[in-house]
Structure formats: structure tokens, C-alpha cells
Amino acid sequence: MNLLLAPPTNLNRKVRKSNKLCFFLLNYFDVILGAIVTTQASNQFLPRSRLIIYSSNPKKDSVFDFVEINPKSVLFKIYSVSGDGNCGFRAVSLSVYHHQENWINVKQDMLSTYQKYQDSLYKPVVSTQTMVDFEQTKMLKKLASTISPCYNSKLWFITFSCPQVVADTYNRPVVIFTYREFYLKDALSFLPLVEMNIIENINNPILLLLAHSHFYLIELKKTPKGKLKKYEQIPLNPNHQRIRETYPQQCNSVDFFIIW
């Protein structure tokens, strides 16, 4: 009651002190976190926005439980890139360019591929041409955007259409693992439709995990000869066969999923 009757200036003073304390704590933990995290490439400290957090202990790091793969022992490391709304593209950049800062280059690469096949391999399966134009325009805006941080979810990497474009852009298999609440987990693979260097890329997939609206990059263990350790085959995405049957001239005569 005394607090309610106190002059407004006292309340403002308390709020200011509370805000200063919160600000101090946030900065303190940010510094501590920045001090214990390193990147895959080096041990040099980077600005907080560019840090890559990686997990390598399946027994202690719960993020390993989010991945639907069997056996779990094939998991090596899971990398968490910056969460600025471009984390999906950053995760691809980390795999392709070996650091996350080339996410804009990833978008440019994907845009070039998408424009080449937007009226064939990537043509939306919708009822009207108006809807086709709408979906294509949405994808073009997504890949052309360089906004960071990006709060518009329409510009985020999505698991439905983006993985196939990534696979065809870099001629590498792409696997998307997803985790939702209550341990609902699944995984789908996307194989290049046009071409792929089998010798170089069959053991070099891009493995992404989407959990709690954030993308991670997954690294699997390899044998001394550089081959991936064996694990159960990841189901193929349902559009693969439909696209191959609809556009046989654009697709490679070899179905890479058979080899994969």
C-alpha cells in the first residue's frame, strides 16, 4: 500500500535501477558465453553476432535428442549459427563456405538456380496461374532479401521449397531434420535433380536441423577413408518422384536417390 501511495519519481527510480541491473546481467552473461564459445575454424574470439556454438557431447547436449537418425552414434557435431532470421541460409553457408558470413552469397547462388527452373522443377503445384505467380514472387523476394536481422517470417528459410533449391545449387544431397514439441521428430532427404558429382558429393551431404524456429548444421562421423559411417536411410521427400516424372528432360537420367 505504501508503494502505491509513493510519488511517481520513486517508482521511476526503482524502474531505472531494475533496468540497469537487467542490462548488466544480460551483458555479463553475453560476455561469459562469448568467452567459452569457439568456431570450427579457429579459437579466435569473434563478435557475438558471428559466434558459432557447437555441441559435441550427445550425453550432455540435449540438441542431439532432436535429431531423428539411427544410430545416434553417427552424430559428430551440431553447430548453431547466429539467430538473426537468416539462420537457415547461414547454416548452408557454414557447410558450403566453411563459415556463416557468406549467407548472402548462398541466397544469390540459390536465386540463380531458382530463376533457371522456376517454371519447371520448382513450379508450384497450385490451382491457378495467379497462385503460381504469387508463390514464385514470394520465393524471389525471399532469396533477394539481404535484411539482417530479419523479423519477417516470409523471408526465412523454409523446409518445403528451399532444401531442393540448395541441393540443385550445390549438387549435394540435403537432409532436413525437424523437431517439434512433445518430441515429434522427422527427417526428409532432397537429392539433386539435374546433376551431382557422385564421387565427391555422395559422402558430403548438407544436414540441417530445424528446432524451435532455429536452424542448426549437423556434422556426421566419417571413416578413416572419408566415407560417412552407416546409418538408416532417410526417407525421400514426396515431391522427388513427381518432379522427375513431370520434367524428365530437365532431370538427370540417373535418379541419385538410388545411389544415396
Short mmCIF file of all heavy atoms in Angstrom, two decimals, residues 139-169:
data_model
loop_
_atom_site.label_atom_id
_atom_site.label_comp_id
_atom_site.label_asym_id
_atom_site.label_seq_id
_atom_site.Cartn_x
_atom_site.Cartn_y
_atom_site.Cartn_z
N MET A 139 8.97 -16.45 -53.32
CA MET A 139 10.28 -17.10 -53.26
C MET A 139 11.38 -16.17 -53.77
O MET A 139 12.48 -16.12 -53.19
CB MET A 139 10.25 -18.39 -54.09
CG MET A 139 11.50 -19.24 -53.96
SD MET A 139 11.70 -19.90 -52.29
CE MET A 139 12.98 -21.13 -52.58
N LEU A 140 11.10 -15.43 -54.82
CA LEU A 140 12.09 -14.50 -55.36
C LEU A 140 12.43 -13.41 -54.35
O LEU A 140 13.60 -13.03 -54.20
CB LEU A 140 11.56 -13.87 -56.65
CG LEU A 140 11.47 -14.82 -57.86
CD1 LEU A 140 10.71 -14.15 -59.00
CD2 LEU A 140 12.86 -15.23 -58.33
N LYS A 141 11.43 -12.92 -53.63
CA LYS A 141 11.67 -11.90 -52.61
C LYS A 141 12.50 -12.48 -51.47
O LYS A 141 13.38 -11.81 -50.92
CB LYS A 141 10.34 -11.37 -52.08
CG LYS A 141 9.59 -10.45 -53.04
CD LYS A 141 8.31 -9.94 -52.41
CE LYS A 141 7.58 -8.99 -53.35
NZ LYS A 141 6.31 -8.50 -52.75
N LYS A 142 12.21 -13.72 -51.10
CA LYS A 142 12.94 -14.38 -50.03
C LYS A 142 14.43 -14.46 -50.36
O LYS A 142 15.30 -14.15 -49.53
CB LYS A 142 12.37 -15.79 -49.81
CG LYS A 142 13.02 -16.58 -48.67
CD LYS A 142 12.64 -18.04 -48.73
CE LYS A 142 11.15 -18.25 -48.70
NZ LYS A 142 10.55 -17.93 -47.38
N LEU A 143 14.74 -14.90 -51.58
CA LEU A 143 16.13 -15.11 -51.97
C LEU A 143 16.86 -13.80 -52.30
O LEU A 143 18.09 -13.76 -52.27
CB LEU A 143 16.19 -16.06 -53.16
CG LEU A 143 15.64 -17.47 -52.92
CD1 LEU A 143 15.72 -18.31 -54.19
CD2 LEU A 143 16.41 -18.15 -51.79
N ALA A 144 16.11 -12.76 -52.60
CA ALA A 144 16.73 -11.47 -52.92
C ALA A 144 16.98 -10.63 -51.67
O ALA A 144 17.77 -9.67 -51.71
CB ALA A 144 15.85 -10.69 -53.89
N SER A 145 16.36 -10.99 -50.57
CA SER A 145 16.48 -10.19 -49.35
C SER A 145 17.85 -10.32 -48.71
O SER A 145 18.42 -11.41 -48.62
CB SER A 145 15.41 -10.61 -48.34
OG SER A 145 15.61 -9.99 -47.10
N THR A 146 18.37 -9.19 -48.24
CA THR A 146 19.65 -9.18 -47.51
C THR A 146 19.46 -8.52 -46.14
O THR A 146 20.43 -8.08 -45.53
CB THR A 146 20.73 -8.43 -48.30
OG1 THR A 146 20.29 -7.09 -48.57
CG2 THR A 146 21.02 -9.13 -49.62
N ILE A 147 18.24 -8.50 -45.66
CA ILE A 147 17.93 -7.86 -44.38
C ILE A 147 18.47 -8.69 -43.21
O ILE A 147 18.29 -9.91 -43.17
CB ILE A 147 16.40 -7.69 -44.22
CG1 ILE A 147 15.84 -6.79 -45.32
CG2 ILE A 147 16.05 -7.11 -42.85
CD1 ILE A 147 14.33 -6.72 -45.35
N SER A 148 19.11 -8.02 -42.28
CA SER A 148 19.60 -8.68 -41.07
C SER A 148 19.68 -7.65 -39.94
O SER A 148 20.33 -6.62 -40.11
CB SER A 148 20.96 -9.32 -41.28
OG SER A 148 21.46 -9.87 -40.08
N PRO A 149 19.02 -7.88 -38.82
CA PRO A 149 18.18 -9.04 -38.53
C PRO A 149 16.87 -9.00 -39.31
O PRO A 149 16.39 -7.93 -39.66
CB PRO A 149 17.93 -8.91 -37.02
CG PRO A 149 18.05 -7.45 -36.75
CD PRO A 149 19.13 -6.96 -37.66
N CYS A 150 16.33 -10.18 -39.58
CA CYS A 150 15.12 -10.30 -40.39
C CYS A 150 13.99 -10.84 -39.51
O CYS A 150 14.03 -12.00 -39.09
CB CYS A 150 15.38 -11.23 -41.57
SG CYS A 150 13.92 -11.51 -42.60
N TYR A 151 12.99 -10.01 -39.26
CA TYR A 151 11.87 -10.41 -38.42
C TYR A 151 10.65 -10.86 -39.23
O TYR A 151 9.67 -11.31 -38.66
CB TYR A 151 11.47 -9.25 -37.50
CG TYR A 151 12.59 -8.77 -36.63
CD1 TYR A 151 13.16 -7.51 -36.79
CD2 TYR A 151 13.11 -9.58 -35.62
CE1 TYR A 151 14.19 -7.06 -35.99
CE2 TYR A 151 14.16 -9.16 -34.81
CZ TYR A 151 14.69 -7.90 -35.00
OH TYR A 151 15.73 -7.47 -34.21
N ASN A 152 10.74 -10.73 -40.54
CA ASN A 152 9.64 -11.14 -41.42
C ASN A 152 9.76 -12.63 -41.73
O ASN A 152 10.64 -13.04 -42.49
CB ASN A 152 9.67 -10.31 -42.70
CG ASN A 152 8.49 -10.59 -43.61
OD1 ASN A 152 7.69 -11.51 -43.37
ND2 ASN A 152 8.36 -9.82 -44.68
N SER A 153 8.88 -13.43 -41.18
CA SER A 153 8.98 -14.89 -41.36
C SER A 153 8.81 -15.32 -42.81
O SER A 153 9.21 -16.42 -43.18
CB SER A 153 7.94 -15.59 -40.48
OG SER A 153 6.62 -15.19 -40.84
N LYS A 154 8.21 -14.47 -43.64
CA LYS A 154 8.05 -14.81 -45.06
C LYS A 154 9.40 -14.84 -45.79
O LYS A 154 9.49 -15.39 -46.89
CB LYS A 154 7.12 -13.81 -45.74
CG LYS A 154 5.68 -13.87 -45.24
CD LYS A 154 4.80 -12.87 -45.96
CE LYS A 154 3.37 -12.94 -45.46
NZ LYS A 154 2.49 -11.95 -46.14
N LEU A 155 10.42 -14.26 -45.17
CA LEU A 155 11.75 -14.22 -45.79
C LEU A 155 12.69 -15.28 -45.21
O LEU A 155 13.84 -15.35 -45.60
CB LEU A 155 12.37 -12.83 -45.60
CG LEU A 155 11.57 -11.65 -46.18
CD1 LEU A 155 12.28 -10.33 -45.89
CD2 LEU A 155 11.36 -11.81 -47.68
N TRP A 156 12.19 -16.09 -44.31
CA TRP A 156 13.02 -17.12 -43.69
C TRP A 156 13.18 -18.34 -44.58
O TRP A 156 12.37 -18.59 -45.48
CB TRP A 156 12.41 -17.56 -42.36
CG TRP A 156 12.37 -16.49 -41.30
CD1 TRP A 156 12.93 -15.24 -41.38
CD2 TRP A 156 11.71 -16.57 -40.03
NE1 TRP A 156 12.68 -14.54 -40.23
CE2 TRP A 156 11.94 -15.32 -39.38
CE3 TRP A 156 10.99 -17.56 -39.38
CZ2 TRP A 156 11.44 -15.05 -38.11
CZ3 TRP A 156 10.49 -17.29 -38.11
CH2 TRP A 156 10.72 -16.05 -37.49
N PHE A 157 14.22 -19.11 -44.32
CA PHE A 157 14.45 -20.40 -44.98
C PHE A 157 13.33 -21.35 -44.55
O PHE A 157 13.03 -21.48 -43.36
CB PHE A 157 15.80 -20.95 -44.52
CG PHE A 157 16.29 -22.16 -45.28
CD1 PHE A 157 17.28 -22.03 -46.25
CD2 PHE A 157 15.79 -23.42 -45.01
CE1 PHE A 157 17.77 -23.14 -46.93
CE2 PHE A 157 16.26 -24.54 -45.68
CZ PHE A 157 17.25 -24.40 -46.65
N ILE A 158 12.68 -21.99 -45.51
CA ILE A 158 11.59 -22.90 -45.16
C ILE A 158 11.93 -24.32 -45.63
O ILE A 158 12.65 -24.51 -46.62
CB ILE A 158 10.25 -22.46 -45.76
CG1 ILE A 158 10.35 -22.30 -47.29
CG2 ILE A 158 9.77 -21.17 -45.13
CD1 ILE A 158 9.02 -21.97 -47.95
N THR A 159 11.40 -25.30 -44.92
CA THR A 159 11.76 -26.70 -45.19
C THR A 159 11.04 -27.28 -46.39
O THR A 159 11.38 -28.37 -46.85
CB THR A 159 11.44 -27.56 -43.95
OG1 THR A 159 10.03 -27.46 -43.65
CG2 THR A 159 12.23 -27.10 -42.75
N PHE A 160 10.04 -26.60 -46.90
CA PHE A 160 9.26 -27.16 -48.01
C PHE A 160 9.92 -26.96 -49.37
O PHE A 160 10.05 -27.90 -50.14
CB PHE A 160 7.85 -26.55 -48.02
CG PHE A 160 6.98 -27.06 -49.12
CD1 PHE A 160 6.48 -28.36 -49.07
CD2 PHE A 160 6.66 -26.28 -50.22
CE1 PHE A 160 5.68 -28.86 -50.10
CE2 PHE A 160 5.86 -26.76 -51.25
CZ PHE A 160 5.36 -28.06 -51.19
N SER A 161 10.36 -25.74 -49.67
CA SER A 161 10.88 -25.45 -51.01
C SER A 161 12.37 -25.16 -51.06
O SER A 161 13.03 -25.44 -52.07
CB SER A 161 10.11 -24.26 -51.61
OG SER A 161 10.19 -23.13 -50.76
N CYS A 162 12.93 -24.61 -50.00
CA CYS A 162 14.35 -24.22 -50.02
C CYS A 162 15.33 -25.39 -50.14
O CYS A 162 16.33 -25.28 -50.86
CB CYS A 162 14.68 -23.38 -48.79
SG CYS A 162 13.93 -21.73 -48.81
N PRO A 163 15.12 -26.52 -49.43
CA PRO A 163 16.12 -27.60 -49.49
C PRO A 163 16.38 -28.13 -50.90
O PRO A 163 17.53 -28.44 -51.23
CB PRO A 163 15.50 -28.69 -48.61
CG PRO A 163 14.61 -27.95 -47.67
CD PRO A 163 14.04 -26.82 -48.46
N GLN A 164 15.34 -28.23 -51.73
CA GLN A 164 15.56 -28.74 -53.09
C GLN A 164 16.41 -27.78 -53.90
O GLN A 164 17.27 -28.20 -54.69
CB GLN A 164 14.22 -28.98 -53.79
CG GLN A 164 14.35 -29.66 -55.15
CD GLN A 164 15.00 -31.02 -55.05
OE1 GLN A 164 14.48 -31.91 -54.39
NE2 GLN A 164 16.15 -31.18 -55.70
N VAL A 165 16.18 -26.50 -53.73
CA VAL A 165 16.99 -25.50 -54.44
C VAL A 165 18.44 -25.57 -53.98
O VAL A 165 19.36 -25.46 -54.80
CB VAL A 165 16.42 -24.08 -54.23
CG1 VAL A 165 17.24 -23.06 -55.02
CG2 VAL A 165 14.96 -24.02 -54.66
N VAL A 166 18.67 -25.77 -52.69
CA VAL A 166 20.03 -25.92 -52.17
C VAL A 166 20.70 -27.14 -52.79
O VAL A 166 21.86 -27.08 -53.22
CB VAL A 166 20.02 -26.04 -50.63
CG1 VAL A 166 21.42 -26.38 -50.12
CG2 VAL A 166 19.54 -24.75 -49.99
N ALA A 167 19.98 -28.25 -52.85
CA ALA A 167 20.53 -29.49 -53.41
C ALA A 167 20.95 -29.30 -54.86
O ALA A 167 22.02 -29.76 -55.28
CB ALA A 167 19.51 -30.61 -53.30
N ASP A 168 20.12 -28.61 -55.64
CA ASP A 168 20.42 -28.40 -57.06
C ASP A 168 21.47 -27.31 -57.27
O ASP A 168 22.17 -27.32 -58.28
CB ASP A 168 19.14 -28.04 -57.83
CG ASP A 168 18.16 -29.20 -57.88
OD1 ASP A 168 18.60 -30.34 -58.02
OD2 ASP A 168 16.94 -28.95 -57.78
N THR A 169 21.57 -26.39 -56.33
CA THR A 169 22.55 -25.31 -56.46
C THR A 169 23.97 -25.82 -56.23
O THR A 169 24.90 -25.47 -56.97
CB THR A 169 22.25 -24.19 -55.45
OG1 THR A 169 20.96 -23.63 -55.73
CG2 THR A 169 23.30 -23.09 -55.52
#
